Amino acid sequence: MDNTDRTETGYSTSLLRRAALLAVLFAGGVVFLGAYTRLVDAGLGCPDWPGCYGHVLWPTEAGEIAAAEAAFPDAPVDLSKTWPEMVHRYFAGTLGLIILGFAAWAVRGRGRPDAPPLGLSLLLLAMVILQGAFGAWTVTLKLWPQVVTAHLLGGFTTLSLLWLLCLRTGALGEPQRFGVPAQLLPHAVLALVAVVLQIALGGWVSSNYAALACPDLPTCHGAWVPPMDLEAGFDVTQSVGPNYLGGLLENEARVAIQYVHRVGALVVAALVGALVWRLFQAGSRLAAPVGLVLAAQLTLGVLNVVLKLPLWSATLHNAVGALTLLALVTVNYAAVYRRRGPEPATLRSLPGRPVAA
């Protein structure tokens, strides 16, 4: 390893960057597995938490399955659902340990340029603890839509914060290399807010099983404005349980959720599309990536309706939604960097380069 890749403390800053990138990849896997688990209706594949029918993994032998069903008579064992739930839990638990490691690293190296930013690391730790609670409540509250949606948003937030860690440590290079003008910041913030709200709407669609409430496109049940029940569709005070598997809302309430999600998609397309055009005019390297993920996400949304929600398309829709969010986080970070100037010396410099004053 080149000596210029080390700080005065003897630690390698490249180690932090590699660790941050690996954490992002792992978090992306957790988000993907969470989407898959939800889409195959495996959210209650294990009726208890943190184990599965009292097992560290899940019951597989005939005797174990019989004992599990005797202990949980209202939850027969379905092996096609137990393993996705437990694999997701173990990946999420491992991610929690990784983030705990970042927090310990940040506390131990507080004030040193070779350690993760302390505030961001502690925020990540708080978020992953909250995510663990949401994971438990998802099971104990029987897929209550409010908790399922919050759990989804927590996963996307954790992924975004880890991506921000990559950006702040210079894992993707100097922010000015992206060529995002500072004057685009208000537009970029507005686009980011729209994408976050659309992700929340997508979570609400999924948790209320409203993805196919409108079977046609671009109309819904043959109408541009179909009969819908907005009040019931967005009633966040609905009571808990007894079990939301398959959904409990009437069709007009689900139509309302799906319809608002479609309107949100148009708003996101307009805002992010306009931002892509402005990035292109500015010669930004981010114009093409942001435009590609936006086009892919809109295409997958259409395919979900046309193909009646195939598993591959629905799962990819979640994954590309995450990529869209990360793309907007990058644009915002690059614009903020341009507006504020180089980061303080407490943050990292690139290997072989002096830390910016």
Side-chain angles (χ1 to χ4, degrees):
M1 182 179 297
D2 195 304
N3 288 334
T4 60
D5 202 26
R6 292 181 179 272
T7 65
E8 67 277 4
T9 60
Y11 289 88
S12 171
T13 54
S14 66
L15 174 62
L16 174 58
R17 292 165 184 167
R18 288 196 298 267
L21 285 171
L22 285 174
V24 165
L25 292 174
F26 206 93
V30 171
V31 169
F32 184 86
L33 285 170
Y36 179 83
T37 300
R38 187 171 64 255
L39 290 166
V40 297
D41 293 329
L44 293 179
C46 298
D48 49 339
W49 191 93
C52 186
Y53 292 95
H55 290 254
V56 174
L57 292 176
W58 55 85
T60 56
E61 303 295 332
E64 294 175 341
I65 292 174
E69 292 182 337
F72 297 90
D74 296 327
V77 176
D78 184 343
L79 295 180
S80 68
K81 299 184 186 302
T82 54
W83 73 262
E85 173 66 1
M86 287 307 292
V87 169
H88 176 239
R89 288 185 192 181
Y90 274 104
F91 266 80
T94 304
L95 178 62
L97 293 176
I98 293 172
I99 290 174
L100 178 61
F102 275 119
W105 189 355
V107 170
R108 183 182 178 187
R110 184 175 183 177
R112 294 196 321 221
D114 57 327
L118 180 62
L120 181 55
S121 299
L122 293 180
L123 180 58
L124 272 164
L125 181 60
M127 180 55 63
V128 82
I129 291 172
L130 183 61
Q131 274 295 87
F134 279 131
W137 293 333
T138 296
V139 176
T140 59
L141 297 180
K142 307 299 182 184
L143 302 182
W144 195 33
Q146 287 86 328
V147 170
V148 174
T149 304
H151 193 38
L152 171 74
L153 288 174
F156 276 69
T157 301
T158 303
L159 177 62
S160 298
L161 290 175
L162 285 169
W163 184 249
L164 182 59
L165 178 61
C166 285
L167 292 169
R168 291 190 63 181
T169 56
L172 302 180
E174 299 182 56
Q176 57 263 36
R177 70 187 288 268
F178 296 125
V180 179
Q183 59 266 32
L184 290 188
L185 183 58
H187 190 165
V189 170
L190 187 60
L192 176 61
V193 170
V195 168
V196 170
L197 291 176
Q198 183 66 358
I199 289 171
L201 279 171
W204 196 245
V205 168
S206 179
S207 61
N208 283 284
Y209 299 86
L212 295 178
C214 295
D216 48 329
L217 194 74
T219 57
C220 179
H221 293 285
W224 291 106
V225 183
M228 66 182 86
D229 190 343
L230 286 166
E231 183 178 359
F234 292 92
D235 179 15
V236 296
T237 65
Q238 57 183 284
S239 60
V240 178
N243 187 330
Y244 280 90
L245 189 61
L248 297 177
L249 296 180
E250 298 294 332
N251 188 60
E252 288 193 356
R254 300 190 201 205
V255 167
I257 297 171
Q258 172 62 210
Y259 190 84
V260 172
H261 185 56
R262 289 188 180 186
V263 172
L266 294 176
V267 172
V268 167
L271 284 173
V272 180
L275 179 62
V276 169
W277 176 246
R278 295 183 70 184
L279 289 169
F280 177 77
Q281 288 183 315
S284 172
R285 294 184 178 186
L286 295 179
V290 176
L292 285 173
V293 293
L294 175 64
Q297 184 68 341
L298 294 174
T299 300
L300 288 167
V302 171
L303 289 176
N304 280 342
V305 177
V306 173
L307 301 179
K308 307 304 179 186
L309 202 67
L311 180 59
W312 66 267
S313 176
T315 307
L316 282 177
H317 193 49
N318 280 264
V320 178
L323 290 178
T324 306
L325 177 61
L326 297 186
L328 267 295
V329 169
T330 307
V331 173
N332 276 269
Y333 181 79
V336 168
Y337 187 92
R338 275 292 183 88
R339 173 169 289 189
R340 294 182 178 178
E343 293 187 352
T346 51
L347 298 181
R348 260 109 260 119
S349 67
L350 290 175
R353 296 173 183 258
V355 180

